[in-house]
Amino acid sequence: MNRLAVIGTGVIGNGWIARALAQGWHVVAFDPDLNAPARTRAFVDNAWPSLTQLGLATGASPERLTFANTLEEAVNDADLIQENVPERLALKQDILAAIDAAAAPGVIIGSSTSGFKPTDLQKHCQQAPRRVIVAHPFNPVYLLPLVELVGGDVTQPEQLASAQALYQALAMRPLLVRREIEGHIADRLMEALWREALHLVNDGVATTEEIDAAVVYGCGLRWSLMGTFLTFHLAGGDQGMRHMLEQFGPALKLPWTKLEAPELTDELIDKVVEGCEHQAAGRSVAALDRRRDDFLVELLDVVHKYWPEAEGLKGRI
């Protein structure tokens, strides 16, 4: 039976815990917050209906979760270690160095960092720094299968191959990033859209609700099946991407985007916050989580139907 050690039990750490439990793994968590165990168990309880609907692995049970009293106890005998502390480089470096010193040298240590490069994360590790990699998931981790795997300067191909197999055993869809870069792949794409959306709100072009509608009822529907490049390939008609670039390529030089993020003034912050609160319509975050999860369960069934290579994940998200 595989054993996952989870260090840090915020939203992402708890997402890893719920996913691993649903796959029949044993999970040992560590978080210095005394309230962490209660929060984690409530999180798992909220996620379990969606995981049950998708299909649980043999032996899956929330009872396979335990909390350790120390970091060293948590990583002892782990088959995989996932670090999820707050996104501050110095903090992550210190925690990863402590994990590296305590864990058996052959155990992969994945960091859930959304932006830092693995070479920077490995900097203070003394025992086996090469096994410290980026393993960046997406919220909700227990439903979304993508995990970006990135190795640092000293990481060897065998470490990434081992990591890929372990995350596949968690029913993830590992994406091996060819070289390290801040923000990896998916977050860089999302941040570009996010910056543009903030400009549109700041300039009074659209509200948060209107921008979200543009994604939900337009590009987002296509992206969920075929992503960016294949979508544009179809835009070129029978000649595909070549014709699309010939016809629409010059528009890339037009001032349609603003690459720099707008200044987060009090006025812009108020516009964004008020817009989101209007969209939430009084519903709690927990209620919105359940709505999102119900939607994702149904959407993932559609993705599995139309992506044959995802078929192996069906029932084991």
Side-chain angles (χ1 to χ4, degrees):
M1 185 65 64
N2 286 326
R3 179 183 175 101
L4 174 69
V6 174
I7 309 301
T9 58
V11 171
I12 299 302
N14 283 336
W16 280 113
I17 289 170
R19 171 177 283 274
L21 293 172
Q23 297 308 313
W25 285 43
H26 288 293
V27 179
V28 182
F30 172 73
D31 192 304
D33 187 343
L34 295 178
N35 296 317
R39 284 202 315 269
T40 294
R41 296 188 191 284
F43 185 101
V44 171
D45 287 345
N46 192 56
W48 208 252
S50 295
L51 291 165
T52 301
Q53 187 175 348
L54 283 171
L56 300 173
T58 302
S61 171
E63 300 304 314
R64 286 190 164 158
L65 168 65
T66 59
F67 266 79
N69 294 316
T70 65
L71 180 150
E72 291 76 13
E73 179 187 343
V75 303
N76 185 44
D77 291 331
D79 296 297
L80 175 65
I81 302 167
Q82 192 72 29
E83 170 273 310
N84 316 277
V85 302
E87 196 78 349
R88 299 196 297 272
L89 181 58
L91 174 62
K92 283 188 177 289
Q93 287 174 330
D94 288 346
I95 295 297
L96 288 166
I99 296 171
D100 174 58
V107 178
I108 295 295
I109 303 171
S111 173
S112 294
T113 179
S114 60
F116 297 132
K117 296 191 292 185
T119 295
D120 294 331
L121 298 174
Q122 297 169 344
K123 189 173 182 180
H124 300 318
C125 297
Q126 298 297 318
Q127 181 179 203
R130 65 182 60 186
R131 46 78 175 269
V132 176
I133 65 169
V134 166
H136 174 231
F138 296 83
N139 187 41
V141 182
Y142 54 90
L143 292 182
L144 297 184
L146 182 64
V147 58
E148 295 177 315
L149 303 182
V150 196
D153 284 345
V154 296
T155 302
Q156 299 296 311
E158 54 265 30
Q159 270 93 40
L160 288 174
S162 177
Q164 184 176 17
L166 285 165
Y167 287 105
Q168 284 174 334
L170 283 169
M172 300 294 282
R173 201 296 192 179
L175 175 61
L176 297 179
V177 180
R178 293 174 180 269
R179 64 183 182 88
E180 57 182 334
I181 185 173
E182 294 88 347
H184 325 312
I185 297 174
D187 271 5
R188 293 180 73 95
L189 297 174
M190 290 190 294
E191 284 293 328
L193 180 62
W194 175 232
R195 287 193 294 270
E196 192 65 25
L198 288 175
H199 275 294
L200 293 171
V201 171
N202 194 50
D203 296 343
V205 176
T207 66
T208 61
E209 186 172 21
E210 290 162 350
I211 292 168
D212 284 352
V215 174
V216 170
Y217 298 109
C219 53
L221 289 172
R222 299 180 301 186
W223 287 343
S224 63
L225 172 65
M226 57 184 64
T228 304
F229 282 96
L230 196 56
T231 291
F232 281 132
H233 178 66
L234 270 61
D238 290 340
Q239 298 177 55
M241 178 61 81
R242 185 170 299 279
H243 180 65
M244 184 273 171
L245 290 174
E246 290 172 352
Q247 184 171 359
F248 297 105
L252 294 173
K253 298 293 185 180
L254 297 177
W256 283 2
T257 62
K258 299 181 178 181
L259 295 179
E260 295 293 330
E263 183 181 352
L264 284 177
T265 62
D266 289 342
E267 181 182 6
L268 176 55
I269 291 172
D270 287 343
K271 284 183 179 180
V272 172
V273 171
E274 290 167 8
C276 291
E277 289 176 347
H278 171 73
Q279 290 177 256
R283 292 168 291 189
S284 68
V285 170
L288 292 171
D289 279 346
R290 290 295 316 137
R291 179 173 179 264
R292 175 203 64 196
D293 290 358
D294 289 343
F295 170 80
L296 287 174
V297 167
E298 294 186 37
L299 181 60
L300 283 166
D301 277 341
V302 176
V303 172
H304 292 146
K305 178 180 178 180
Y306 286 93
W307 274 84
E309 56 266 47
E311 184 62 30
L313 298 177
K314 190 168 185 180
R316 312 188 302 117
I317 294 302

